[in-house]
Amino acid sequence: MHLLPAFLEELVMAELYVLSYVHAAPLLAAREAGRSDAATSLDLGLTTAQVALDPGGVTLPDGQRLAWADVEDVAADESVCYLVQDNTVAKMHRFSEERNLLYVLMPTERAPTVLISGIQMHRVKDIDPWGDTLEKIRTIKPVEGRVLDTTTGLGYTAIAAAADAQKVLTVEIDPNMIDMARINPWSRPLFDNPRITRIMGDAFDVVQEFEEGSFSRIVHDPPMLARAGDLYSGEFYGYLYRLLARGGRLYHYVGDPDSRSGSNITRGVVRRLQDTGFRRVSVRPRAFGVVAFK
């Protein structure tokens, strides 16, 4: 097996095959049944493809060959997705020496998430990352007008919001996350949807450049407090309040409000939002967040 290349630039998403244990298992089952072909997904469940099987391995639609040993390795590993390249598979992870962080695209039965040095970027217990995203978006429905997504990540929030919004602007500080999104099939609309505009930069600085009242909805899904304290500050909330149009809505991720750490963070967030001028600030436990109105 090979490691994912250290730097991924403008990859053509449609040409990538990505496997996880979920979709390698049907190939092994078909082999055990003595079949010469099988149906599985080569893009983490978004579509289904037919592949040919023989004693030596699997032939993919573009002619690439995978040895059974590689398929077995993927099927046995629930911790990471695999990129198919050059007739073999590569773990979809990378280490950033600059940030001293390890990024891993972790599979679920639906959309994958990213682990950053072991910390999950989405909920996966009793929900999948895409369902987690939809719970957040539901808190600010109807989604309309211009939407600001303060932290892109894998782009799920921007993609979900763009289904109804006129325009979505999404901000990301970490180029490693954009690299992971480029090779994640579920993130393709982040690069293809004309309603989505991507901005590279620190959200704390970027939001100060937008015009007052220019967004009808804001989704603020920051990293954990220890890593991005400024994105939980009253000063930052003041910037978001200025950007939000009158009658607009803000969703703010806080973690599990019923946990000890989550409840402490939630109380602080609610108080600072109210001090900033937001009204009708309410906790939404199912979405692990807080909603506020202007």
Side-chain angles (χ1 to χ4, degrees), residues 4 18-21 23 44 74 77-84 89-93 104-108 110-113 180 183-185:
L4 194 66
V18 180
L19 277 175
S20 77
Y21 73 96
H23 305 106
L44 301 181
V74 175
D77 190 351
E78 298 185 11
S79 65
V80 63
C81 299
Y82 286 76
L83 177 66
V84 178
V89 293
K91 289 186 177 182
M92 296 176 71
H93 64 195
V104 177
L105 192 69
M106 188 188 88
T108 73
R110 292 190 72 205
T113 187
M180 298 304 287
I183 53 175
N184 173 24

Side-chain angles (χ1 to χ4, degrees), residues 51-252:
V51 299
L53 313 179
D54 59 56
V58 180
T59 302
L60 303 180
D62 67 351
Q64 288 194 75
R65 293 272 299 167
L66 290 183
W68 283 117
D70 280 343
V71 178
E72 290 165 357
D73 285 342
V74 175
D77 190 351
E78 298 185 11
S79 65
V80 63
C81 299
Y82 286 76
L83 177 66
V84 178
Q85 55 179 182
D86 300 327
N87 301 299
T88 188
V89 293
K91 289 186 177 182
M92 296 176 71
H93 64 195
R94 62 175 298 171
F95 179 75
S96 170
E97 293 185 0
E98 178 183 358
R99 294 177 177 267
N100 194 34
L101 295 173
L102 176 65
Y103 301 77
V104 177
L105 192 69
M106 188 188 88
T108 73
E109 299 216 352
R110 292 190 72 205
T113 187
V114 166
L115 297 181
I116 302 181
S117 291
I119 299 174
Q120 296 171 355
M121 295 297 100
H122 302 86
R123 287 187 288 162
V124 297
K125 183 180 179 181
D126 301 324
I127 196 170
D128 67 90
W130 186 249
D132 179 35
T133 299
L134 295 182
E135 286 289 353
K136 297 169 184 175
I137 294 297
R138 286 190 189 101
T139 66
I140 56 170
K141 282 187 174 292
V143 178
E144 56 192 12
R146 286 162 52 90
V147 176
L148 172 63
D149 170 28
T150 62
T151 52
T152 306
L154 288 176
Y156 297 165
T157 296
I159 293 166
D164 297 306
Q166 176 186 3
K167 187 73 176 178
V168 178
L169 278 72
T170 181
V171 183
E172 179 57 54
I173 191 173
D174 189 349
N176 299 285
M177 285 304 303
I178 297 301
D179 287 346
M180 298 304 287
R182 287 191 186 280
I183 53 175
N184 173 24
W186 284 76
S187 299
R188 288 175 184 169
L190 179 65
F191 306 95
D192 299 340
N193 191 330
R195 293 185 182 182
I196 299 175
T197 296
R198 294 181 295 107
I199 301 172
M200 289 300 302
D202 186 335
F204 190 90
D205 299 322
V206 171
V207 299
Q208 299 179 50
E209 302 173 6
F210 297 133
E211 294 182 5
E212 181 175 353
S214 56
F215 295 97
S216 59
R217 301 289 185 270
I218 297 177
V219 179
H220 183 43
D221 189 359
M224 60 192 300
L225 179 61
R227 286 188 177 169
D230 57 342
L231 299 186
Y232 292 78
S233 67
E235 182 180 3
F236 185 71
Y237 296 166
Y239 298 148
L240 297 185
Y241 186 83
R242 182 184 67 84
L243 294 181
L244 201 58
R246 187 169 299 278
R249 304 177 188 183
L250 163 74
Y251 166 85
H252 187 320

